[in-house]
Amino acid sequence: MDNALLTQADKLLPIFVPAGEDRFGEFKILGISSVAIKLSSRESKDIFAVEITLLQKGGPARHLHHDQDEWFYILEGEFILEIGNERFRAKPGDSLFGPRKVPHAWAFVAGTRGRFLGTVMPAGNLEAFFVEADKKKALPGRNQSQWQPFGMEWVGPPLKIG
């Protein structure tokens, strides 16, 4: 194929997202979390990456991803992560892998601000989930119709963090 005929979408181009910015300049608000897309499912079907920032303690409901593995890398603050029956306390520099189909939940528990890089592989529909949740400025509750269209399932309440 003649490279001159390739469109911008067909070319493999580097993607630079400045610190503290969203890929498209459109932060998503989900309850107490701000979500900045770093690598969109529009650019890669293999991986989707976000930076999650919290100024309040807490986190999402326990849930699972049917078709995606998830990786967390803590940037700031302390988090409790439960993946399956295992519980971890994570600090900046720590990372944790959660395999698909395994229920998990996380919560920001210490510090003035919590921040982590989260990725899912393959990209799947998590970006669309964030877009829908942003419309309500809240995370979905128990209603499975708010999770299942995005390849996820609600399996329990958020972590209790005392």
Side-chain angles (χ1 to χ4, degrees):
M1 175 183 275
D2 181 0
N3 284 340
L5 299 176
L6 292 175
T7 66
Q8 181 89 354
D10 295 325
K11 294 181 183 178
L12 296 175
L13 299 173
I15 298 168
F16 175 75
V17 182
E21 297 294 325
D22 175 85
R23 168 84 176 92
F24 304 106
E26 303 169 357
F27 289 89
K28 309 291 182 258
I29 304 299
L30 284 74
I32 61 173
S33 303
S34 171
V35 178
I37 293 172
K38 297 299 182 174
L39 181 61
S40 172
S41 56
R42 297 178 223 174
E43 289 115 13
S44 173
K45 299 301 177 209
D46 296 324
I47 188 169
F48 171 69
V50 294
E51 182 178 322
I52 308 277
T53 302
L54 298 101
L55 299 176
Q56 299 177 46
K57 307 297 189 270
R62 183 175 301 276
H63 62 282
L64 63 82
H65 302 264
H66 288 284
D67 301 311
Q68 298 165 301
D69 297 321
E70 191 163 11
W71 181 74
F72 304 87
Y73 182 82
I74 307 304
L75 299 167
E76 188 175 350
E78 292 184 30
F79 289 82
I80 298 291
L81 296 100
E82 286 187 6
I83 299 180
N85 295 323
E86 301 288 327
R87 185 178 182 106
F88 304 89
R89 187 170 189 102
K91 297 177 183 166
D94 292 341
S95 68
L96 188 61
F97 175 78
R100 65 190 72 192
K101 300 184 191 291
V102 177
H104 61 279
W106 55 264
F108 168 49
V109 296
T112 56
R113 179 169 81 162
R115 239 173 12 106
F116 70 88
L117 180 64
T119 64
V120 293
M121 295 83 40
N125 293 322
L126 191 55
E127 185 171 357
F129 173 81
F130 287 148
V131 168
E132 275 304 306
D134 179 61
K135 291 176 183 175
K136 296 178 180 127
K137 305 296 182 214
L139 284 170
R142 296 173 183 245
N143 185 339
Q144 294 294 4
S145 69
Q146 297 172 317
W147 297 84
Q148 290 175 344
F150 308 101
M152 299 189 299
E153 187 176 330
W154 183 95
V155 294
L159 296 176
K160 292 185 182 193
I161 56 173

